[in-house]
PDB file of all heavy atoms in Angstrom:
ATOM      1  N   TYR A 417      -6.483  -2.381  -6.264  1.00  0.00           N
ATOM      2  CA  TYR A 417      -6.373  -3.695  -5.623  1.00  0.00           C
ATOM      3  C   TYR A 417      -4.905  -4.106  -5.524  1.00  0.00           C
ATOM      4  O   TYR A 417      -4.476  -4.645  -4.490  1.00  0.00           O
ATOM      5  CB  TYR A 417      -7.181  -4.721  -6.416  1.00  0.00           C
ATOM      6  CG  TYR A 417      -6.974  -6.153  -5.975  1.00  0.00           C
ATOM      7  CD1 TYR A 417      -7.243  -6.552  -4.664  1.00  0.00           C
ATOM      8  CD2 TYR A 417      -6.508  -7.110  -6.870  1.00  0.00           C
ATOM      9  CE1 TYR A 417      -7.047  -7.864  -4.261  1.00  0.00           C
ATOM     10  CE2 TYR A 417      -6.315  -8.422  -6.475  1.00  0.00           C
ATOM     11  CZ  TYR A 417      -6.583  -8.795  -5.165  1.00  0.00           C
ATOM     12  OH  TYR A 417      -6.375 -10.104  -4.776  1.00  0.00           O
ATOM     13  N   PHE A 448      -3.050  -9.075 -10.821  1.00  0.00           N
ATOM     14  CA  PHE A 448      -4.025  -8.499  -9.898  1.00  0.00           C
ATOM     15  C   PHE A 448      -5.412  -8.342 -10.520  1.00  0.00           C
ATOM     16  O   PHE A 448      -6.115  -7.361 -10.268  1.00  0.00           O
ATOM     17  CB  PHE A 448      -3.507  -7.183  -9.313  1.00  0.00           C
ATOM     18  CG  PHE A 448      -2.346  -7.387  -8.383  1.00  0.00           C
ATOM     19  CD1 PHE A 448      -1.040  -7.204  -8.834  1.00  0.00           C
ATOM     20  CD2 PHE A 448      -2.546  -7.814  -7.087  1.00  0.00           C
ATOM     21  CE1 PHE A 448       0.044  -7.431  -7.981  1.00  0.00           C
ATOM     22  CE2 PHE A 448      -1.465  -8.046  -6.234  1.00  0.00           C
ATOM     23  CZ  PHE A 448      -0.169  -7.857  -6.679  1.00  0.00           C
ATOM     24  N   ASP A 449      -5.792  -9.328 -11.308  1.00  0.00           N
ATOM     25  CA  ASP A 449      -7.157  -9.383 -11.827  1.00  0.00           C
ATOM     26  C   ASP A 449      -8.028  -9.996 -10.734  1.00  0.00           C
ATOM     27  O   ASP A 449      -7.932 -11.190 -10.454  1.00  0.00           O
ATOM     28  CB  ASP A 449      -7.199 -10.251 -13.086  1.00  0.00           C
ATOM     29  CG  ASP A 449      -8.577 -10.290 -13.727  1.00  0.00           C
ATOM     30  OD1 ASP A 449      -9.577  -9.980 -13.034  1.00  0.00           O
ATOM     31  OD2 ASP A 449      -8.659 -10.641 -14.912  1.00  0.00           O
ATOM     32  N   PRO A 450      -8.897  -9.217 -10.102  1.00  0.00           N
ATOM     33  CA  PRO A 450      -9.669  -9.751  -8.973  1.00  0.00           C
ATOM     34  C   PRO A 450     -10.587 -10.897  -9.366  1.00  0.00           C
ATOM     35  O   PRO A 450     -10.851 -11.784  -8.551  1.00  0.00           O
ATOM     36  CB  PRO A 450     -10.448  -8.537  -8.463  1.00  0.00           C
ATOM     37  CG  PRO A 450     -10.470  -7.579  -9.604  1.00  0.00           C
ATOM     38  CD  PRO A 450      -9.201  -7.800 -10.351  1.00  0.00           C
ATOM     39  N   ALA A 451     -11.065 -10.907 -10.610  1.00  0.00           N
ATOM     40  CA  ALA A 451     -11.947 -11.989 -11.044  1.00  0.00           C
ATOM     41  C   ALA A 451     -11.217 -13.322 -11.061  1.00  0.00           C
ATOM     42  O   ALA A 451     -11.824 -14.375 -10.827  1.00  0.00           O
ATOM     43  CB  ALA A 451     -12.519 -11.677 -12.426  1.00  0.00           C
ATOM     44  N   VAL A 452      -9.928 -13.299 -11.340  1.00  0.00           N
ATOM     45  CA  VAL A 452      -9.131 -14.529 -11.348  1.00  0.00           C
ATOM     46  C   VAL A 452      -8.731 -14.902  -9.920  1.00  0.00           C
ATOM     47  O   VAL A 452      -8.910 -16.041  -9.483  1.00  0.00           O
ATOM     48  CB  VAL A 452      -7.877 -14.368 -12.230  1.00  0.00           C
ATOM     49  CG1 VAL A 452      -6.983 -15.610 -12.129  1.00  0.00           C
ATOM     50  CG2 VAL A 452      -8.272 -14.122 -13.677  1.00  0.00           C
ATOM     51  N   VAL A 453      -8.215 -13.931  -9.174  1.00  0.00           N
ATOM     52  CA  VAL A 453      -7.712 -14.212  -7.820  1.00  0.00           C
ATOM     53  C   VAL A 453      -8.847 -14.675  -6.908  1.00  0.00           C
ATOM     54  O   VAL A 453      -8.634 -15.536  -6.040  1.00  0.00           O
ATOM     55  CB  VAL A 453      -7.011 -12.973  -7.237  1.00  0.00           C
ATOM     56  CG1 VAL A 453      -6.523 -13.252  -5.816  1.00  0.00           C
ATOM     57  CG2 VAL A 453      -5.838 -12.553  -8.115  1.00  0.00           C
ATOM     58  N   ALA A 454     -10.045 -14.152  -7.101  1.00  0.00           N
ATOM     59  CA  ALA A 454     -11.175 -14.554  -6.264  1.00  0.00           C
ATOM     60  C   ALA A 454     -11.468 -16.041  -6.372  1.00  0.00           C
ATOM     61  O   ALA A 454     -12.055 -16.629  -5.460  1.00  0.00           O
ATOM     62  CB  ALA A 454     -12.412 -13.746  -6.633  1.00  0.00           C
ATOM     63  N   GLY A 455     -11.055 -16.652  -7.466  1.00  0.00           N
ATOM     64  CA  GLY A 455     -11.287 -18.072  -7.663  1.00  0.00           C
ATOM     65  C   GLY A 455     -10.177 -18.972  -7.152  1.00  0.00           C
ATOM     66  O   GLY A 455     -10.260 -20.201  -7.285  1.00  0.00           O
ATOM     67  N   TYR A 456      -9.140 -18.394  -6.564  1.00  0.00           N
ATOM     68  CA  TYR A 456      -8.045 -19.207  -6.037  1.00  0.00           C
ATOM     69  C   TYR A 456      -8.571 -20.075  -4.887  1.00  0.00           C
ATOM     70  O   TYR A 456      -9.353 -19.615  -4.046  1.00  0.00           O
ATOM     71  CB  TYR A 456      -6.911 -18.329  -5.531  1.00  0.00           C
ATOM     72  CG  TYR A 456      -6.010 -17.751  -6.611  1.00  0.00           C
ATOM     73  CD1 TYR A 456      -6.297 -17.909  -7.963  1.00  0.00           C
ATOM     74  CD2 TYR A 456      -4.858 -17.047  -6.274  1.00  0.00           C
ATOM     75  CE1 TYR A 456      -5.462 -17.381  -8.938  1.00  0.00           C
ATOM     76  CE2 TYR A 456      -4.016 -16.516  -7.237  1.00  0.00           C
ATOM     77  CZ  TYR A 456      -4.323 -16.684  -8.572  1.00  0.00           C
ATOM     78  OH  TYR A 456      -3.498 -16.168  -9.535  1.00  0.00           O
ATOM     79  N   ALA A 484      -9.998 -10.021  -3.001  1.00  0.00           N
ATOM     80  CA  ALA A 484     -10.501 -10.101  -4.378  1.00  0.00           C
ATOM     81  C   ALA A 484     -11.971 -10.491  -4.369  1.00  0.00           C
ATOM     82  O   ALA A 484     -12.782  -9.944  -5.141  1.00  0.00           O
ATOM     83  CB  ALA A 484      -9.681 -11.113  -5.182  1.00  0.00           C
ATOM     84  N   LEU A 488     -15.202  -8.244  -5.730  1.00  0.00           N
ATOM     85  CA  LEU A 488     -16.260  -8.687  -6.634  1.00  0.00           C
ATOM     86  C   LEU A 488     -17.643  -8.497  -6.001  1.00  0.00           C
ATOM     87  O   LEU A 488     -18.604  -8.108  -6.684  1.00  0.00           O
ATOM     88  CB  LEU A 488     -16.053 -10.153  -7.016  1.00  0.00           C
ATOM     89  CG  LEU A 488     -14.813 -10.488  -7.851  1.00  0.00           C
ATOM     90  CD1 LEU A 488     -14.877 -11.940  -8.325  1.00  0.00           C
ATOM     91  CD2 LEU A 488     -14.647  -9.545  -9.045  1.00  0.00           C
TER      92      LEU A 488
END
Side-chain angles (χ1 to χ4, degrees):
Y417 171 59
F448 291 98
D449 183 340
V452 175
V453 178
Y456 282 6
L488 294 189

